[in-house]
Amino acid sequence: MGSIQIQRLVIRRAGRLFAGEFFAAPESLAERDTLVQEDDHQGVNRLFGKSTNLTVQQVLYDLLDTGSTDEAFHISERYLDEERSEQAMHQVNFGILYTLMLESEATTLQEFLTYLEDKYIVTASDKEKFTEVLKINGLARDGSFSKANPENQE
C-alpha cells in the first residue's frame, strides 16, 4: 500500500471515530464543550494547546456546535439562510466536516484546519471567528498546537 493510500485510510478511521462519538453520545460532547479550557489536574491543564485526542475532538466539536458558550462560530453559518433546529444544524455541520475530512487527504489537525479554512472560511468576519475557535483551544493561528514544542510550554 502506498503512502497516499495509508494517509487516506488514517483520515477515514479518524472520521469514523469522530462520527461514532457524534452519533452515539452527542450530549457528552456538549457536556465537555469547555473541558479543554477548564481542565485542571493538580493545577495543570493537560489539554489546552496540547496534541491530545480530546483536544482534537473538542476543536472539531467547536466547529459544528451552534449553541456553544465559548465561541460564536460554526462551519455552516455563512451558507444557510433558512431557520433550522439545533439538531438539524449539527447534522449539516457534521456532514460538512466529515466530507472535508474525507476529501482533504489531511493527516494532521493543522492540515485539516488549513484545508477547511481555504475552502469554507472566506470573509474577514468568519476568519476572525475561526481564529477565536483556534485560540480558545490553545492552537496557534496556523492550526498548530501551541504547546507542542518544549520551548513553548509553561
Side-chain angles (χ1 to χ4, degrees):
M1 203 180 303
S3 68
I4 290 179
Q5 291 171 322
I6 291 171
Q7 289 174 357
R8 288 183 183 152
L9 183 63
V10 169
I11 291 300
R12 286 190 180 125
R13 286 184 182 158
R16 286 186 198 124
L17 291 173
F18 183 68
E21 179 77 17
F22 178 75
F23 286 109
E27 66 284 345
S28 73
L29 291 171
E31 290 168 2
R32 297 183 296 189
D33 187 31
T34 59
L35 182 60
V36 170
Q37 297 82 27
E38 298 171 355
D39 181 61
D40 182 16
H41 180 73
Q42 299 177 357
V44 176
N45 186 319
R46 299 164 296 169
L47 305 172
F48 186 80
K50 297 179 182 154
S51 179
T52 69
N53 289 339
L54 190 53
T55 304
V56 171
Q57 180 186 49
Q58 290 305 121
V59 169
L60 295 174
Y61 181 71
D62 282 346
L63 292 171
L64 69 83
D65 183 25
T66 58
S68 180
T69 58
D70 59 345
E71 83 284 327
F73 179 76
H74 61 86
I75 193 65
S76 67
E77 71 180 40
R78 173 78 45 216
Y79 302 99
L80 299 175
D81 294 332
E82 59 190 64
E83 190 69 28
R84 298 186 193 306
S85 70
E86 188 168 335
Q87 180 181 5
M89 291 300 296
H90 276 185
Q91 290 172 341
V92 168
N93 290 337
F94 174 78
I96 291 170
L97 283 177
Y98 189 73
T99 300
L100 289 174
M101 281 181 197
L102 294 179
E103 74 181 19
S104 73
E105 298 184 12
T107 59
T108 66
L109 179 64
Q110 182 178 7
E111 289 174 357
F112 175 69
L113 292 172
T114 299
Y115 182 82
L116 179 135
E117 183 175 14
D118 290 346
K119 192 126 177 141
Y120 275 89
I121 316 299
V122 293
T123 67
S125 172
D126 286 349
K127 286 184 184 291
E128 286 178 28
K129 292 175 185 178
F130 181 71
T131 300
E132 186 62 24
V133 170
L134 301 177
K135 183 179 172 184
I136 64 166
N137 288 291
L139 275 62
R141 176 60 190 94
D142 67 357
S144 63
F145 293 99
S146 62
K147 307 281 185 186
N149 300 319
E151 63 271 8
N152 292 341
Q153 293 186 5
E154 297 174 331

